[in-house]
Amino acid sequence: MPPIPANIPENDRELIKAVKRGEVWPRNFKEPSPEELADPAFVEKMPTLQATTIRALCLGTWDGVDVDPKGIYIVGAWIKGKLDLSFAAVRVPLKLMNCHFSGRIDILRAKLPFLALSGSRLEQGLKGDGVRIDGCLQCRNGFTALGEIRLL
């Protein structure tokens, strides 16, 4: 496996440290409201993460990065780019709460133990035909999707 890329943003590096320890990222988080997540000026001030980093953590792509069994737990972040977990077998829970997603979430035919999107705003929706979630899919507490939610 390759190492973590040298040019990865600082917030993404902090996320990697948090998931290795089984901690929520960011540490001093504020849960934004649905109204705040709909406000572009507010979103611009949110801590950002790259969707590709979350994908790499879900897939175990990088050498020396073992995600704690508690999983990936992010609260109040702006997730930039498309989160593509299509056909992936994710081994840890994925909790992306009160986040703003600029790109679509693709979980086509993926296998996940748990997916929480409560309070989050999906600008481009979610595609999940054939997804298998062994635990549950949580989309409550102000969850909003502007694009299509497709779970055939």
Side-chain angles (χ1 to χ4, degrees):
M1 286 186 280
I4 299 169
N7 63 344
I8 196 165
E10 184 59 32
N11 282 347
D12 294 56
R13 287 190 182 282
E14 292 301 317
L15 172 64
I16 293 166
K17 291 176 190 173
V19 300
K20 288 170 76 173
R21 294 187 304 253
E23 297 174 353
V24 178
W25 187 92
R27 256 188 168 168
N28 301 317
F29 65 88
K30 174 197 176 289
E31 291 184 13
S33 69
E35 295 78 24
E36 289 172 321
L37 290 174
D39 178 4
F42 181 85
V43 172
E44 284 288 327
K45 296 175 187 169
M46 292 176 71
T48 62
L49 292 170
Q50 303 302 310
T52 52
T53 297
I54 297 168
R55 181 181 195 278
L57 291 169
C58 287
L59 301 180
T61 303
W62 296 321
D63 189 37
V65 179
D66 295 318
V67 176
D68 186 274
K70 292 179 185 175
I72 300 165
Y73 195 171
I74 301 167
V75 178
W78 177 10
I79 312 295
K80 292 186 173 185
K82 180 169 92 170
L83 178 55
D84 189 355
L85 298 173
S86 297
F87 300 94
V90 180
R91 295 185 311 267
V92 296
L94 188 55
K95 296 170 258 182
L96 308 168
M97 315 283 282
N98 299 84
C99 291
H100 180 96
F101 290 83
S102 61
R104 187 176 66 221
I105 297 175
D106 282 349
I107 52 173
L108 298 163
R109 300 235 179 258
K111 293 179 183 176
L112 301 141
F114 180 88
L115 178 59
L117 298 170
S118 294
S120 291
R121 180 180 178 90
L122 283 58
E123 292 289 333
Q124 304 209 9
L126 180 145
K127 246 187 203 178
D129 295 0
V131 67
R132 178 178 169 189
I133 300 173
D134 294 331
C136 65
L137 170 61
Q138 292 181 351
C139 298
R140 56 186 179 195
N141 299 335
F143 171 82
T144 304
L146 301 181
E148 177 183 33
I149 298 290
R150 186 176 160 115
L151 296 166
L152 296 177

